[in-house]
Amino acid sequence: MGMKMDIELIDKNGLRIDGRKPEELRPIKIEAGVLKRADGSAYVEWGKNKILAAVYGPREAHPRHLQKSNKAIVQVRYNMAPFSVGDRKRPGPDRRSVEISKITSEALEHVVMTELFPRSSIDVFIEVLQANAGTRCAGLTAASVALADAGIPMKDLVVGVASGKVDDVVVLDLGKEEDNYGQADVPMGYIPRTGEIVLLQMDGDMTQEELFKAMEMSMDAAKYIYGLQKEALRKRYEMIAREETEEIEGVQ
Ligand code: UDP
């Protein structure tokens, strides 16, 4: 962010490097229930990002000193595969992945009804298979669907989406070049139905007016993404219902 380069991020027609308008998202696809062994899972393609989320639990929290007597903890591990970025990423946790895991956990603890599962842990694994900016938001969006797919009681779904500023223009959902050479990036975790913000970060600089405009863009986009999340879950439930019907018919 903020690396000043002679790279044109907005052309003379007001369009971005990948041809998008300022308020346009990259294409997003969400699928629920993609892994057999996990209690819940989701796969998200968001532009060139490819992200899997898997959920286990609630199960007894280990080590035991992590247990909370009145509620469950939501443990998140955000991990980038070595082949997910241009220069092979060194495997294992680094400062960035520890930070993203922490903020994702905090965002999810706002929606999971943790008070129902004292001393338990709900474990969320976010695996970034391919990264192209905005992975923390795509990861949060995927994790939220995976939790619902696991049947974990939640107050609502959280959407992750970012907006920011490039070439002095406020834009939605920064791509890789925009993230590298732009002026500001503002990832947000948002619950469209209640209007609650459960994650907000800012990297770079903006005026208050620009920040509010960026947040508005993210909130509008979040409503659309929320629709995609619900649609993915609806398809998943339909599939489960169909499989169960076939099973019943099979024994007759
Ligand atoms: N990135 C990378 N190597 C790394 C970390 C990040 O190439 O070790 C890239 C990756 O494409 C990522 C982008 O930089 O999506 C922006 O990273 P940032 O830390 O802003 O997080 P994100 O936007 O993915 O949430």
Side-chain angles (χ1 to χ4, degrees):
M1 188 61 43
M3 221 190 294
K4 207 52 201 165
M5 297 274 278
D6 275 338
I7 171 166
E8 190 188 63
L9 295 172
I10 303 282
D11 71 13
K12 56 181 186 327
N13 300 318
L15 297 179
R16 300 155 69 178
I17 280 194
D18 59 5
R20 279 186 289 156
K21 297 189 198 89
E23 67 287 356
E24 201 175 327
L25 280 170
R26 290 173 284 183
I28 302 175
K29 277 196 285 189
I30 307 179
E31 201 182 332
V34 294
L35 301 171
K36 277 264 182 292
R37 303 277 175 251
D39 293 328
S41 58
Y43 176 62
V44 169
E45 283 187 5
W46 183 317
K48 291 181 193 143
N49 293 307
K50 296 185 177 181
I51 295 177
L52 261 176
V55 167
Y56 293 89
R59 56 189 182 184
E60 194 182 1
H62 282 291
R64 288 185 66 167
H65 70 84
L66 292 175
Q67 294 184 358
K68 297 232 165 85
S69 60
N70 58 342
K71 60 178 184 180
I73 53 171
V74 178
Q75 299 194 82
V76 175
R77 190 191 72 182
Y78 165 101
N79 182 55
M80 276 182 137
F83 48 78
S84 66
V85 290
D87 317 302
R88 175 182 177 276
K89 191 204 161 280
R90 251 183 91 221
D94 51 21
R95 269 180 56 186
R96 176 178 169 278
S97 60
V98 170
E99 179 238 342
I100 295 177
S101 300
K102 180 171 183 291
I103 54 143
T104 305
S105 159
E106 286 167 1
L108 293 171
E109 280 186 347
H110 282 284
V111 285
V112 171
M113 297 171 90
T114 52
E115 64 280 5
L116 297 177
F117 308 103
R119 279 180 281 280
S120 305
S121 175
I122 295 160
D123 300 325
V124 179
F125 297 88
I126 297 170
E127 294 291 326
V128 179
L129 308 178
Q130 191 170 290
N132 206 254
T135 60
R136 74 193 62 204
C137 292
L140 178 58
T141 300
S144 180
V145 173
L147 283 163
D149 180 49
I152 293 184
M154 293 161 84
K155 286 177 248 172
D156 219 319
L157 294 168
V158 186
V159 178
V161 61
S163 49
K165 180 179 168 185
V166 304
D167 275 0
D168 293 326
V169 178
V170 175
V171 297
L172 181 67
D173 185 26
L174 276 67
K176 188 78 180 79
E177 295 81 7
E178 294 175 327
D179 183 275
N180 284 357
Y181 307 116
Q183 294 152 295
D185 187 16
V186 184
M188 183 193 269
Y190 185 61
I191 307 173
R193 200 178 52 82
T194 60
E196 286 167 284
I197 296 168
V198 293
L199 163 68
L200 188 62
Q201 298 184 300
M202 183 170 120
D203 180 8
D205 67 279
M206 289 173 126
T207 64
Q208 187 188 54
E209 199 182 331
E210 287 165 341
L211 175 62
F212 285 178
K213 188 173 173 194
M215 286 170 64
E216 288 284 337
M217 271 187 189
S218 289
M219 290 172 180
D220 274 347
K223 287 183 199 132
Y224 165 75
I225 299 163
Y226 185 61
L228 297 180
Q229 289 176 313
K230 287 195 292 189
E231 180 62 16
L233 288 164
R234 200 183 56 75
K235 279 201 182 128
R236 173 67 179 148
Y237 298 144
E238 263 177 23
M239 203 174 79
I240 294 169
R242 209 177 313 125
E243 281 170 5
E244 279 171 0
T245 315
E246 280 164 10
E247 241 168 69
I248 293 163
E249 285 169 353
V251 293
Q252 280 172 348

